[in-house]
Amino acid sequence: MSGTAISLSGLSKHYGEVKAVDDLDLQVAEGEFFSMLGPSGSGKTTVLRLIAGFEQPTAGRIELAGTEVTGLAAHQRDVNTVFQDYALFPHLSVRQNVEYGLRVKKVPTRERRERAEQALASVRLDAYADRRPHQLSGGQRQRVALARALVNRPQVLLLDEPLGALDLKLRREMQLELKEIQREVGITFVFVTHDQEEALTMSDRVAVFRDGRIEQVASPVELYEQPASPFVAGFVGTSNLLDEALVGRPGTWAIRPERLLLGEPSPGAQSADGEITEVVYLGAATHTIVQLDAGPTVTVSRPNSGTAHLAERGARTTVSWRADDLVSLGSAPTRPTEEE
Ligand code: ADP
Ligand code: MG
């Protein structure tokens, strides 16, 4: 990856007592698919609005492609935003919707046409140019909104939970498609979501937000395999937290459900006894919840094969793991589930 598309330094936005964004430092590379992930109210939208220029920061500095833009108006920044609530003009055709921005900017008809065609092709809607929005599916309408932003050929595209209104199946399809479109057009995408699966699916890197600050910035693999804090371990996927007494080493430790085994431990593995309190069949996998005699409750995940038989609620079992699969979360004793 070449240069830096976005650079935020010491960025803060305070609304009275509320520190919506609190002394944030972040760099996004050109051409990157970058996601901001975090619970509702953690400051993701505010950061996008600051980058777009819809809000001015309380403190700090924003650079786009190496040039400071802090203080500039939204229309002076080479950035476009796609919202979840993407109001299309109902009385205009798909093509006219996509061309609208260029028409306002007085781009000549010929060029307008060409750019709209290109934008529609990039979201695979070339065949739908003459339809009206109400003749499209939800996913297609979302793609028109995307084309409407792409037609401006911005350096950076900001997307604020753009798939939030779609049902799960369509959402998953659109996730893969968005990633593909981004790869093709090569524009830097900054994608906001509260859905950890969505962030992991699409992103080159993810920033995990909490209370206006960033807990960790990492690739999806690193975020999942090496969470930097109990909060990240709890927010990204399911994590089991084991304490010193179980692990035999000081600090708090996390381990993923698929790294735990049920039954007779293999040689060299660590283990703990407990009682099965719940068996959750999920189709592709089964989650078995075990209350360990030593205290914590853990989730064990197994992929289902045709012959698998489910463990019984109330049965005694042994949970085991390899010490190598434990991730150190430092000495913080907090449990992420209690912090929400
Ligand atoms: P997210 O997008 O992660 O859900 P937001 O950036 O929308 O979070 O909000 C972060 C915090 O800032 C929240 O506590 C929210 O209530 C507060 N906030 C956002 N916009 C305003 C505003 N215009 N006035 C007052 N508080 C705001
Ligand atoms: Mg938001």
Side-chain angles (χ1 to χ4, degrees):
M1 254 163 246
S2 31
T4 304
I6 304 170
S7 177
L8 311 177
S9 11
L11 193 67
S12 292
K13 179 68 180 179
H14 298 173
Y15 297 103
E17 296 286 283
V18 179
K19 294 179 174 171
V21 177
D22 194 16
D23 197 16
L24 208 77
D25 293 305
L26 178 68
Q27 306 221 313
V28 178
E30 271 172 23
E32 199 171 20
F33 198 124
F34 190 91
S35 288
M36 297 184 180
L37 170 69
S40 176
S42 59
K44 309 177 297 293
T45 293
T46 306
V47 172
L48 274 203
R49 294 177 59 81
L50 288 168
I51 296 172
F54 299 136
E55 302 276 356
Q56 292 301 330
T58 310
R61 180 183 168 93
I62 302 171
E63 289 176 21
L64 295 175
T67 305
E68 174 159 22
V69 299
T70 333
L72 291 188
H75 70 268
Q76 294 172 295
R77 304 184 187 196
D78 195 4
V79 161
N80 266 256
T81 310
V82 179
F83 302 97
Q84 178 181 326
D85 176 19
Y86 45 88
L88 302 177
F89 297 113
H91 58 288
L92 298 184
S93 70
V94 166
R95 177 185 290 110
Q96 289 167 329
N97 264 283
V98 173
E99 277 184 12
Y100 184 80
L102 301 179
R103 185 186 293 263
V104 172
K105 283 192 219 157
K106 307 225 170 1
V107 173
T109 316
R110 178 86 154 288
E111 184 186 342
R112 216 162 66 204
R113 260 303 134 94
E114 277 172 19
R115 282 170 64 173
E117 300 269 307
Q118 263 186 28
L120 283 169
S122 68
V123 299
R124 307 178 216 335
L125 281 180
D126 7 8
Y128 297 81
D130 296 320
R131 292 209 189 174
R132 296 281 178 83
H134 76 268
Q135 297 170 307
L136 301 177
S137 70
Q140 289 168 335
R141 281 200 290 271
Q142 183 50 265
R143 282 187 287 171
V144 177
L146 189 60
R148 204 172 45 175
L150 290 174
V151 80
N152 296 307
R153 299 186 183 154
Q155 292 288 318
V156 171
L157 195 63
L158 307 174
L159 303 104
D160 196 353
E161 314 231 8
L163 309 181
L166 307 179
D167 66 50
L168 189 61
K169 189 164 178 291
L170 191 54
R171 200 177 162 125
R172 292 211 167 121
E173 282 169 23
M174 279 298 290
Q175 288 168 6
L176 296 178
E177 227 168 274
L178 257 187
K179 174 72 204 158
E180 214 174 290
I181 291 168
Q182 188 266 342
R183 219 180 267 135
E184 282 170 21
V185 297
I187 293 174
T188 308
F189 274 34
V190 180
F191 188 95
V192 162
T193 180
H194 63 271
D195 179 338
Q196 49 101 10
E197 189 185 300
E198 187 159 287
L200 296 185
T201 303
M202 294 192 290
S203 318
D204 296 313
R205 288 191 306 152
V206 181
V208 181
F209 275 68
R210 178 192 187 189
D211 298 338
R213 291 170 160 270
I214 292 177
E215 285 272 304
Q216 185 173 8
V217 184
S219 69
V221 174
E222 196 184 341
L223 214 56
Y224 191 79
E225 301 286 344
Q226 298 289 327
S229 68
F231 178 80
V232 175
F235 196 75
V236 180
T238 308
S239 227
N240 297 299
L241 297 187
L242 302 180
D243 55 20
E244 188 171 334
L246 277 162
V247 169
R249 281 184 281 170
T252 302
W253 300 81
I255 189 160
R256 296 296 180 185
E258 64 274 17
R259 299 291 170 96
L260 292 177
L261 293 168
L262 287 180
E264 195 59 33
S266 51
Q270 299 188 317
S271 65
D273 294 332
E275 183 181 315
I276 296 174
T277 56
E278 202 63 71
V279 179
V280 186
Y281 177 76
L282 295 168
T286 295
H287 285 182
T288 308
I289 319 294
V290 181
Q291 164 81 61
L292 298 177
D293 300 341
T297 298
V298 294
T299 301
V300 182
S301 173
R302 282 294 88 191
N304 288 329
S305 66
T307 55
H309 81 275
L310 300 181
E312 290 213 6
R313 230 156 64 85
R316 298 284 304 167
T317 189
T318 302
V319 176
S320 64
W321 60 89
R322 298 186 326 134
D324 280 359
D325 288 335
L326 295 165
V327 177
S328 172
L329 297 179
S331 44
T334 39
R335 284 174 159 267
T337 46
E338 289 168 10
E339 294 173 5
E340 281 298 290

